[in-house]
Amino acid sequence: MNLIKILQSFVLFMAGGFGHWYIMYWQFKTPNWIKSPIPYLLAVVCTFLWIKASEYGVAGFGGSMWSNRFLFFVTGIIIAAVLYPYHFDQPFTMKTATQLLLALTIIVISLFWK
């Protein structure tokens, strides 16, 4: 296991995930969003970030694609937990906190269960 590679993967997944969140959900704030070229260009950038993140993640987890996939999933959950309340006034509830805790538990298991 290489924690530096896993951290690099996490950062790239987060960057791509933030972009993806805006691609998917900004249309509900700005209906003409999907008619502009910006989300499509952003999709290309996010795809590149995710490809590199997967390269680093699989290497960091010693070849485990499952652990890398769960890291990708958890970054999306973290981003959603931040951006839904921020942009759409959707409350951060105990249910959300529990789901976030479960998602983070997946990563802890991936890091420490040999």
Side-chain angles (χ1 to χ4, degrees), residues 14-26 42-43 46 50 72:
M14 288 294 284
F18 269 101
H20 176 260
W21 190 92
Y22 283 101
I23 292 166
M24 296 300 293
Y25 299 107
W26 202 244
L42 191 54
C46 292
W50 284 337
F72 177 55

Side-chain angles (χ1 to χ4, degrees), residues 39-88:
Y40 304 99
L41 295 172
L42 191 54
V44 172
V45 173
C46 292
T47 301
F48 174 77
L49 292 172
W50 284 337
I51 289 169
K52 294 308 285 181
S54 291
E55 176 186 334
Y56 295 144
V58 170
F61 284 112
S64 172
M65 292 187 190
W66 277 109
S67 295
N68 182 69
R69 178 62 184 98
F70 284 126
L71 181 61
F72 177 55
F73 165 75
V74 169
T75 57
I77 298 300
I78 293 168
I79 290 163
V82 171
L83 293 179
Y84 287 133
Y86 183 75
H87 287 298
F88 291 102

Side-chain angles (χ1 to χ4, degrees), residues 77 81 85 90-103:
I77 298 300
Q90 299 212 354
F92 191 89
T93 63
M94 275 305 285
K95 177 182 173 184
T96 307
T98 302
Q99 291 168 327
L100 186 57
L101 178 64
L102 289 170

